[in-house]
Structure formats: structure tokens, C-alpha cells
Amino acid sequence: MGWQVVWNNFDYFLWGAWPEGPLGGLAMSILLSIGGIFGAFWLGLAAGLMRLSKRPWIAWPAIVYIEVVRGIPLLLVIFWFYFLSPILFGSPLPEAQSALISFIIFTSAYVAEIVRAGVLSLPKGQMEAARGSGLSQVQAMSFVILPQALRNMIPSFVNQFVSLIKDTSLAAIIGVNELLRTGEQVMNRDYVTTEIFVTIAVMYFIVCYALTEASRILERQMSRYQARR
């Protein structure tokens, strides 16, 4: 009986009520994670480079931002944006938009540390050689340091992406119809628990494992490319 309920609602687990209604389920979880990691990458890249600056008025705002965000739970960030958005923006934000902003703000602090560690992992002579060839500080960082550092950051970026996919389940607390919430809706309607939670866990595992394997394949290809060079 329980597995029959799961099978009958499998499309709902994948898409929510779409196309009849708003998109939800696993598709919403993936969209939130993709949007979150895309926004967090650029914000985290800027914050990480700011933290590496030797100018205190540039570095300290980034340090405060990174340490404060990393020191509070993601759930608190989600609540903060959801309940304070009417004060900040004059009107409440949609639940999915509040969750997405929270994911970007939270994840970018960790991305910033990945960027900082990746840049510092390179020999200091790289920057000196680039500056000696006539490049400015910005040009040396953009064309010499970052391309090398970003290759080293790929495993850490993937780990952060996998964590974000799992963290999207916290969006259910403010009513976002992602995978966990769709499972709860089916469970409350059909009174099936174990099979639904097993299905949700398997779906999360498949997505995260596929992403991890893709990262390993990319790392092997890049290693072969570097070896040929």
C-alpha cells in the first residue's frame, strides 16, 4: 500500500503540481540549489578577493561579513529574510525568493573562504612573476592567479553544491514546495510515512551522487590535460 502511494505520486515528488500549478518537488530543490550556487559563486568570489586585499578598508568588511554569516545557522538566515523582508523591501517576498536569497547569502560566505584558500595555495612567485611581466595587480589576479586557483577549487565547490542541495530541505519551514514539503503533503494526505521518507532520501542521494561523480570525471580530465601540458 505504501509503495503504491509513492508510485502514484512519483510525478508530484519530481515536479510538484506543475504544469497545472507552481513548480515544486525535486525540480524546485534543484532550481534553488542552482540559483543559490550561481549567486553565491559571484558574491563569494568578490568577498574572498576583498578579504585577500592588503587595504584594511576593503578587507575588513569582507572579514566581518564572512565570519558573521558563518557563525549563524542557515535556518536563522532563512527566518531573518522571510520575516524581515517586509521591513527591508516594503512588502513580503515570495517564499521561494526569500529562501533563494538566504541560500546565496549563506553559501557565499563559505565560497569566499574556498576562494581565499585556493588563491593562497598557489606559490607566491606566481604573483611576483605576473607583476614582473608588466601586468597590474588586477590583471595578474584575473589572468594568472584565478585561472589556476579555480581549478584547485573545483572539489570544494562541488562539496558546497552538494551541501546546498541537501540544505534546500530547510526551505520547507517557510512553505516552499520543495522535495521534503511535497513528501510531507503526500504523507499528511495518505498517512504513509516510511516509504515516503525512504523515497525522498533516495532521490537526494541520486542527485548528490551524480554530481559528485561528475566532479570526479572533470578532475580526471583536467589532470590528464595538465599532464599533457
Side-chain angles (χ1 to χ4, degrees), residues 153-227:
M153 298 175 201
I154 289 176
S156 298
F157 281 142
V158 173
N159 289 336
Q160 195 61 48
F161 194 12
V162 169
S163 296
L164 182 56
I165 290 174
K166 294 181 289 185
D167 287 342
T168 56
S169 60
L170 294 175
I173 201 71
I174 59 173
V176 179
N177 194 31
E178 45 71 61
L179 179 57
L180 181 61
R181 184 166 175 81
T182 58
E184 291 176 346
Q185 291 171 346
V186 175
M187 180 181 64
N188 293 334
R189 185 186 64 203
D190 296 315
Y191 304 102
V192 176
T193 304
T194 303
E195 294 85 349
I196 288 177
F197 283 124
V198 168
T199 301
I200 292 173
V202 169
M203 294 175 79
Y204 274 122
F205 171 78
I206 290 174
V207 173
C208 294
Y209 183 78
L211 183 62
T212 303
E213 282 300 305
S215 170
R216 291 171 181 164
I217 293 172
L218 180 60
E219 287 182 61
R220 287 196 293 268
Q221 291 178 343
M222 293 184 67
S223 298
R224 295 195 202 102
Y225 174 75
Q226 291 177 347

Side-chain angles (χ1 to χ4, degrees), residues 126-140:
Q126 295 278 352
M127 176 60 76
E128 295 172 359
R131 293 299 305 276
S133 65
L135 297 178
S136 66
Q137 182 82 16
V138 174
Q139 290 173 329

Side-chain angles (χ1 to χ4, degrees), residues 64-81 102 105-107 109-110 167 170:
V64 171
Y65 167 73
I66 293 168
E67 297 302 329
V68 169
V69 172
R70 293 179 69 207
I72 58 179
L74 174 56
L75 187 59
L76 183 60
V77 178
I78 293 174
F79 278 139
W80 192 86
F81 274 99
S102 303
I105 295 297
F106 186 81
T107 306
Y110 291 86
D167 287 342
L170 294 175

Side-chain angles (χ1 to χ4, degrees), residues 11-43:
D11 288 346
Y12 190 66
F13 283 111
L14 291 176
W15 310 107
W18 185 85
E20 291 81 9
L23 185 66
L26 181 62
M28 175 58 75
S29 297
I30 293 175
L31 284 177
L32 285 174
S33 58
I34 291 175
I37 201 65
F38 180 80
F41 173 79
W42 296 108
L43 183 57

Side-chain angles (χ1 to χ4, degrees), residues 119 122-123 126-127 130 139-150:
V119 171
L122 297 178
Q126 295 278 352
M127 176 60 76
Q139 290 173 329
M141 181 63 70
S142 301
F143 302 118
V144 178
I145 303 300
L146 275 182
Q148 298 180 74
L150 287 173

